[in-house]
Amino acid sequence: MGVPRIDGGTLFIDGRWGEAAGGSTFESTNPATGERLGIVSDASRDDASAAVAAAAAAQAAWAQTTVYERSSILYQAHRLMTERAEELAQLMTAEQGKPLRAARNEVRYAGDFLIWFAEEAKRINGEVIPSANSGQRFLVLRQPVGVVAAITPWNYPISMITRKVAPALAAGCTVVLKPAEQTPLCAVAVFRILEEAGVPPGVINLVTTSAPAPVGAEFLESARVRKLSFTGSTEVGMQLAGGAASRMKRVSVELGGHAPFIVFDDADPVRAAKGAALVKFLNTGQACICPNRIFVQSSVMDRFRAELEHRVAALHAGNGMDPANAIGPLIDRASLEKMERHVGDAVARGARLAAGGARLTGGDLDAGFFFAPTILVDVTPEMIIYREETFGPVAPLIPFESEDEVIAMANDTTYGLASYVYTQDLGRAFRLMEALEFAVVGINDINPTSAAAPFGGMKASGLGREGGREGLSEYLETKLVGMVL
Ligand code: ADP
């Protein structure tokens, strides 16, 4: 089968689709089958520079549009995304690998950001502050920060784009987006929607590339870029945030996690195991909110573990297009090797396998990067998996005895993104939500996220929040005006 070349190129700069200036291209492939899905334009630093110039040229006029005009474009984009939901979900499953049902959920979530910020745009209010002097007034204006450079990951290839672009547009900022090299076609599909929704030329610009570093360098070094919004690994995020700090650019970075999932003996272990199975194996474990350490109070460990094993045994891995499959492929070979390293190290240091533990092969599985849903028991702090983010379908179980002990263990990580607690004790729920050094806490809740709520990380998991009112503030400057009458 011939590989479709995306007509006219996949760079979107100043309202026009085009090829990279040097004519380079790269391929997008299906991680379940190895099949090539399309040929996309491979932007260089010069292309990124042209995109930044287009965004800068469009900035002043876009900032002057009314919030009602910007809101109406976002509503329109939401309508188009909803109409094309099935098409987008199928593309996402093909390009990223998640099961179709999960892809449909993600498209809905992506649309939620469009509509949430369409509404929030109308509430970019200023303030009047009384002065001690009768002849003086203070005004506070909230204005767009200016050109935003956005860098997004492959694991949520559509919603991570709308989570940044929708608030930036609502605030009156122009944007240059660099999507992950693994999922450029999803970004192209989102940009077609935004274009059709009526975003004016230059206001949104897309640079697909297989070489992120030079594009990232352009974002950092161009004085016209005022803000960097990044979602991805802690390593790259820290490097970019460091570069932004030395130039005093605004940053929002949402990075890795190492979520504790804590099950107390006053909770129903069966319900907790059901929750653990759902959130641990979400997107084949490739989400920054996936539990990486499952702490279970010793007295309920056996019941919890039996139920988790029962649920894991029912998880079928394979191509996400087949509704029978709940576990899709990992994104690439390096991820597969990381699973083997984490599991191998844990077993060598005394952990035991209660399920899975190896790559899945045979038949169609050979063409993709499939790893068996895995349960490790007796995991200890010396193991790599206790410290490093796994980003795959491996559930490490760790027993604990007391509340104080588990709080200390849970916080013993450089990360601070998501955390989960199962308890029926109200006092304990409050103590835990206050003591956990994580910016998102689910109490008997495995889905504590919404476009309407502020999401982000503490400690090495990031800076800033996305979604909610806070998600819009990230794209606004606060200007103080003193006025003598
Ligand atoms: P992962 O390991 O999950 O792919 P990365 O942090 O490498 O996480 O990727 C997240 C995003 O960051 C992707 O869009 C990727 O292209 C981009 N990226 C990776 N390295 C750099 C870099 N040096 N400069 C700018 N962006 C980068």
Side-chain angles (χ1 to χ4, degrees):
M1 186 182 123
V3 182
R5 192 182 180 97
I6 308 301
D7 283 347
T10 60
L11 306 193
F12 188 65
I13 298 176
D14 205 15
R16 282 183 297 275
W17 292 97
E19 304 282 2
S24 304
T25 57
F26 68 107
E27 288 170 357
S28 170
T29 54
N30 181 328
T33 62
E35 175 202 5
R36 289 177 297 180
L37 297 170
I39 297 176
V40 297
S41 309
D42 197 357
S44 65
R45 182 167 176 163
D46 286 348
D47 295 308
S49 173
V52 169
Q59 178 57 54
W62 181 242
Q64 278 165 20
T65 56
T66 68
V67 291
Y68 287 87
E69 291 170 82
R70 304 201 292 267
S71 172
S72 135
I73 290 173
L74 289 170
Y75 270 113
Q76 186 68 358
H78 177 260
R79 190 181 63 73
L80 292 167
M81 187 167 278
T82 306
E83 272 172 26
R84 288 179 206 165
E86 186 57 24
E87 195 185 309
L88 290 168
Q90 298 219 4
L91 171 65
M92 194 191 308
T93 295
E95 193 175 41
Q96 192 269 336
K98 69 184 62 177
L100 197 49
R101 199 150 62 94
R104 289 181 183 130
N105 287 342
E106 186 185 335
V107 174
R108 207 170 310 120
Y109 184 50
D112 288 348
F113 287 104
L114 295 170
I115 205 150
W116 170 261
F117 288 109
E119 290 162 353
E120 276 301 287
K122 298 173 197 163
R123 290 183 270 279
I124 302 178
N125 302 336
E127 259 185 295
V128 180
I129 297 176
S131 164
N133 301 322
S134 63
Q136 186 186 35
R137 300 289 185 272
F138 290 119
L139 310 179
V140 177
L141 310 188
R142 309 253 284 153
Q143 296 184 305
V145 293
V147 176
V148 171
I151 298 178
T152 49
W154 49 264
N155 62 339
Y156 287 87
I158 292 190
S159 58
M160 294 302 100
I161 296 178
T162 56
R163 182 148 94 165
K164 296 182 190 309
V165 173
L169 294 181
C173 299
T174 60
V175 181
V176 181
L177 173 79
K178 191 211 80 59
E181 51 275 30
Q182 296 88 344
T183 52
L185 299 179
C186 284
V188 168
V190 173
F191 267 64
R192 286 197 173 135
I193 285 175
L194 293 168
E195 179 192 17
E196 225 176 295
V199 179
V203 171
I204 47 161
N205 303 274
L206 174 66
V207 283
T208 51
T209 185
S210 67
V215 172
E218 179 63 22
F219 289 169
L220 290 179
E221 288 167 27
S222 167
R224 294 187 278 206
V225 173
R226 297 286 167 77
K227 156 131 196 154
L228 179 72
S229 179
F230 172 87
T231 300
S233 63
T234 295
E235 189 192 0
V236 175
M238 282 188 169
Q239 200 183 309
L240 292 174
S246 65
R247 295 166 181 90
M248 212 39 83
K249 287 186 200 294
R250 273 70 185 125
V251 286
S252 303
V253 285
E254 198 255 283
L255 309 175
H258 206 275
F261 187 104
I262 305 172
V263 183
F264 285 101
D265 63 6
D266 59 64
D268 173 358
V270 171
R271 189 168 157 227
K274 179 180 174 193
L278 285 169
V279 67
K280 173 65 244 185
F281 298 102
L282 183 72
N283 205 11
T284 314
Q286 301 171 114
C288 51
I289 61 162
C290 285
N292 222 114
R293 292 166 300 154
I294 301 176
F295 296 106
V296 186
Q297 205 154 15
S298 294
S299 49
V300 286
M301 177 60 98
D302 288 348
R303 285 184 61 207
F304 177 89
R305 188 182 140 187
E307 181 64 20
L308 188 65
E309 285 177 18
H310 169 67
R311 289 188 169 267
V312 165
L315 293 174
H316 213 269
N319 191 327
M321 287 294 183
D322 180 344
N325 295 329
I327 301 278
L330 290 164
I331 192 72
D332 55 21
R333 184 170 304 282
S335 298
L336 206 52
E337 285 163 6
K338 189 176 189 187
M339 296 313 110
E340 286 164 354
R341 188 164 62 85
H342 278 203
V343 172
D345 168 80
V347 170
R349 291 174 197 265
R352 286 174 302 117
L353 280 168
R359 180 177 185 175
L360 292 170
T361 50
D364 290 347
L365 294 172
D366 287 343
F369 307 110
F370 293 94
F371 196 83
T374 297
I375 302 174
L376 280 171
V377 294
D378 296 335
V379 167
T380 57
E382 300 72 46
M383 299 172 187
I384 294 173
I385 201 161
Y386 195 94
R387 305 271 162 214
E388 278 186 26
E389 186 178 31
T390 307
F391 230 59
V394 184
L397 303 192
I398 304 148
F400 74 91
E401 305 301 328
S402 74
E403 186 180 308
D404 286 347
E405 178 196 14
V406 80
I407 290 172
M409 290 199 293
N411 286 339
D412 179 22
T413 169
T414 53
Y415 292 107
L417 198 65
S419 57
Y420 306 87
V421 180
Y422 272 72
T423 179
Q424 290 301 315
D425 179 328
L426 192 57
R428 174 170 270 165
F430 267 90
R431 288 192 296 277
L432 266 286
M433 75 175 80
E434 289 171 5
L436 288 172
E437 295 168 351
F438 294 83
V440 178
V441 184
I443 308 275
N444 304 316
D445 184 2
I446 52 156
N447 190 17
T449 57
S450 157
F455 181 88
M458 293 183 183
K459 295 161 74 179
S461 290
L463 292 171
R465 296 293 180 266
E466 295 189 299
R469 266 199 307 276
E470 291 84 347
L472 186 56
S473 297
E474 298 282 330
Y475 297 92
L476 294 167
E477 277 287 10
T478 298
K479 185 182 279 178
L480 170 66
V481 181
M483 207 170 150
V484 173
L485 307 181

